[in-house]
Amino acid sequence: MNKRAAIGDKDEWATIKIWTTSAGYVSMKDGVDRLPPSCVLLLWYSSDANGAVDLTKAADIHPLELMAAPAQQLLLRDQCFDAPLVLLDLTKLLSAINTDIQTVAEVFNQEGGDITTFTKQVGKPISRVLDKLYLEDATIVAGGLMSQLVLKLLNTSANRGLSKRADAVRRIVLVHPTLPSSCVNAMLRTPYDKRIANPIIDVVYDTEKMKTKREMMLRHSFQKGNAIVTDVDHNDLTQLVQALHSDYFTQDGGECTIEWKEYDKEEIDTVGRTLWLCELEIVMNRHTKQFQHEITDLTDEIAEKIATPKTDEIDDVDEDDDGGPDEVGAIILRGSRVVLARSLAKPPKWKGMRIPAAIPNDDETPAQTAIRAISDICGIDGDKEVSSVSALQPLVLYRGRSHCTTVFVYYANDAPPPGPLEDADIEDEEDTYDWYTYPRAMAAAEEPSRKTLLTLACALNSAASAKRIPIKWGGVFGQELFEEGGLQTLSGTSTTTTT
């Protein structure tokens, strides 16, 4: 076996792929050791609706297919930039960690909580690439979890990073940034007037609440920049590129008013330039032993892919049934409160709060699936932190005509934290779950979950009357329904029985 065969196909290596779009008469220059000044650098990976690494989608759709149309408008039609748009594609790198979003999230959260060192999984590979690209007066774009890494590059005291050079980065664009408190405490402590690198930071928030929560701390550390609230999908590479338009931050709270057009391979601008789509590889020159950039023109190949209609996927699901596959869920009780889960994916997998549930695997029992739903969705150790409520049979939640979720009931093993029980009622939109009393659950949960929680409340209070379950830690979930002797409906009115 020769050496190349033993090493394997480099396209399958767990590394960072670099794709470029540029306007010109020829493609980007080959054999140089740095990017042109004022280039735009995007950090991104191919993901599914939940934010997990999606290798299947990555194999079906090339990133340059997603970038071509908005890049053509930015570089040729509207001429927002003169320098290339460069994409650091982290899909292969992150797939070596795990394709599960919680594992990817853990790595980025670890990165964002430590200002001193980069992790081997993400921080070090990216910082090495940036060293070899040698940014000058650049714009960096990132969204979601990767926003933490961008802030770290501007703050870190490690050898690699962008914090020591004032001319490396001119502007940062963060789209729906996920910034846990650990990242805020570690990365936003230094005031703006104490920084060497102090770029403009423009932020696209998903809600006014998140803007209010994070904007003050961000401006303490980075004074210059704009902030808007707009509903976009930061996992969508096309929308990420669109956020670079010079008119993008003139909108706030509404849909984008910029008219985006489709990609046209034959289009030229007023001075005769066309759009070039390329791959950039960083290789060592065998003579000088220095790193240099090798450019491979992919324009014709990508244009052909874009022009070829995609094969429609076969949908075996009944069109009249929007419920999806059957699932197994879990309800966790702690006194008069219950756990409801939220989706942190962008866009969210579901809106509002719901009972956590998962699709069962072939090799597990329904109860095992319920425990897995608790662990995977909420981050609660289902094997150690909860116990089954034997006095109650599983409940049933219906979503769509044929979809059914079997819901097991569990009780938290640990008591609430010291202090007033109401302290647990504070919502944290950056956490996967929160505790809810019955009235708050009815206001926050989606409709199928509300109906099941109403059933649960009746069953629990009946069991409590028969002394089959403990009454502690604030009472019993749903006790508010029975305080006046009447039963509240979902709309909040009181219903009494008459004869």
Side-chain angles (χ1 to χ4, degrees):
M1 180 182 294
N2 60 36
K3 181 178 180 181
R4 182 179 297 274
I7 294 175
D9 185 357
K10 66 180 180 180
D11 287 337
E12 300 303 319
W13 293 355
T15 187
I16 300 170
K17 304 289 286 185
I18 307 176
W19 315 105
T20 70
T21 64
S22 59
Y25 306 104
V26 294
S27 63
M28 289 177 59
K29 189 175 180 181
D30 211 357
V32 298
D33 63 352
R34 64 189 61 197
L35 290 175
S38 303
C39 70
V40 177
L41 191 74
L42 299 103
L43 303 181
W44 172 86
Y45 68 95
S46 178
S47 62
D48 60 18
N50 300 321
V53 178
D54 192 337
L55 293 175
T56 302
K57 187 167 71 173
D60 292 340
I61 304 177
H62 196 286
L64 287 174
E65 292 183 68
L66 303 172
M67 291 183 67
Q72 189 172 56
Q73 184 148 339
L74 292 172
L75 296 173
L76 296 184
R77 298 190 195 108
D78 298 345
Q79 297 185 357
C80 300
F81 299 95
D82 290 326
L85 272 61
V86 180
L87 173 68
L88 296 192
D89 182 359
L90 311 182
T91 305
K92 294 288 186 183
L93 179 70
L94 294 179
S95 68
I97 302 169
N98 199 308
T99 56
D100 183 79
I101 183 61
Q102 287 190 309
T103 303
V104 173
E106 288 169 2
V107 172
F108 278 109
N109 290 341
Q110 178 185 353
E111 200 78 66
D114 181 6
I115 200 171
T116 58
T117 57
F118 287 112
T119 65
K120 293 181 180 179
Q121 299 98 320
V122 175
K124 286 185 178 179
I126 291 177
S127 61
R128 290 190 188 108
V129 168
L130 293 178
D131 278 351
K132 297 177 179 68
L133 294 177
Y134 197 83
L135 301 181
E136 181 182 350
D137 203 28
T139 296
I140 299 181
V141 186
L145 292 164
M146 285 181 286
S147 303
Q148 300 181 71
L149 178 61
V150 175
L151 292 179
K152 181 169 185 173
L153 290 167
L154 297 172
N155 282 277
T156 184
S157 56
N159 292 333
R160 291 185 170 90
L162 305 172
S163 60
K164 305 293 194 300
R165 290 177 47 216
D167 64 340
V169 181
R170 180 184 65 85
R171 181 189 180 211
I172 301 289
V173 179
L174 302 180
V175 182
H176 290 190
T178 301
L179 303 177
S181 6
S182 57
C183 176
V184 172
N185 294 335
M187 303 302 164
L188 300 181
R189 291 182 300 179
T190 305
Y192 65 88
D193 56 352
K194 303 294 183 183
R195 291 182 171 277
I196 297 175
N198 190 18
I200 297 168
I201 294 193
D202 294 329
V203 187
V204 182
Y205 291 100
D206 53 349
T207 64
E208 284 289 349
K209 184 176 180 180
M210 189 56 63
K211 179 181 176 182
T212 302
K213 184 177 182 179
R214 289 289 180 243
E215 185 67 6
M216 182 178 295
M217 287 298 300
L218 190 66
R219 297 309 165 194
H220 163 77
S221 200
F222 298 94
Q223 185 185 35
K224 297 175 290 185
N226 300 307
I228 63 172
V229 177
T230 300
D231 185 16
V232 297
D233 178 7
H234 74 264
N235 292 317
D236 185 333
L237 180 56
T238 300
Q239 295 187 42
L240 204 62
V241 177
Q242 290 174 347
L244 288 163
H245 198 283
S246 54
D247 293 337
Y248 194 86
F249 280 84
T250 61
Q251 58 182 354
D252 193 2
E255 294 184 0
C256 180
T257 56
I258 303 167
E259 182 181 352
W260 295 97
K261 298 180 180 179
E262 295 182 356
Y263 170 73
D264 179 2
K265 180 178 180 293
E266 304 303 324
E267 181 170 347
I268 60 174
D269 66 4
T270 55
V271 292
R273 300 181 305 169
T274 60
L275 186 72
W276 295 83
L277 308 172
C278 303
E279 179 180 5
L280 185 155
E281 293 182 277
I282 300 173
V283 299
M284 181 176 286
N285 186 301
R286 63 180 180 176
H287 300 295
T288 65
K289 305 303 180 185
Q290 300 297 313
F291 289 105
Q292 65 183 34
H293 299 175
E294 282 191 0
I295 303 296
T296 303
D297 179 18
L298 302 176
T299 306
D300 291 339
E301 177 184 335
I302 300 301
E304 184 178 353
K305 284 178 174 287
I306 294 173
T308 304
K310 298 292 186 296
T311 303
D312 292 332
E313 295 181 356
I314 299 174
D315 187 4
D316 294 327
V317 180
D318 183 355
E319 293 182 357
D320 294 329
D321 179 19
D322 60 355
D326 286 351
E327 295 179 314
V328 178
I331 288 175
I332 306 174
L333 299 166
R334 190 173 69 187
S336 60
R337 288 163 174 79
V338 69
V339 161
L340 292 177
R342 63 170 55 86
S343 172
L344 298 182
K346 302 292 184 179
K349 188 177 180 181
W350 63 84
K351 294 183 178 181
M353 309 299 291
R354 62 175 283 183
I355 296 170
I359 299 173
N361 295 326
D362 293 336
D363 60 347
E364 63 185 3
T365 65
Q368 289 172 332
T369 305
I371 291 296
R372 178 167 58 85
I374 294 172
S375 302
D376 292 353
I377 297 176
C378 300
I380 297 172
D381 190 334
D383 293 321
K384 297 180 180 179
E385 297 185 43
V386 299
S387 299
S388 176
V389 179
S390 58
L392 296 181
Q393 294 296 312
L395 306 173
V396 178
L397 181 152
Y398 290 101
R399 195 189 311 278
R401 291 198 309 183
S402 63
H403 169 87
C404 171
T405 300
T406 303
V407 183
F408 287 77
V409 183
Y410 297 90
Y411 213 93
N413 292 335
D414 296 330
L421 293 174
E422 291 74 18
D423 290 351
D425 296 341
I426 299 175
E427 291 184 324
D428 183 355
E429 291 190 0
E430 295 181 3
D431 202 351
T432 52
Y433 73 93
D434 279 311
W435 292 95
Y436 290 86
T437 59
Y438 179 82
R440 294 180 59 250
M442 290 297 104
E446 42 131 38
E447 183 177 355
S449 293
R450 289 203 307 269
K451 292 178 178 178
T452 302
L453 291 173
L454 176 59
T455 304
L456 172 69
C458 295
L460 281 172
N461 282 269
S462 176
S465 299
K467 302 188 183 330
R468 296 294 302 276
I469 62 171
I471 302 177
K472 60 179 181 178
W473 300 340
V476 178
F477 179 76
Q479 60 193 2
E480 297 86 353
L481 288 170
F482 305 92
E483 288 176 349
E484 301 298 329
L487 180 63
Q488 292 181 348
T489 65
L490 290 175
S491 62
T493 60
S494 180
T495 303
T496 56
T497 303
T498 59
T499 57

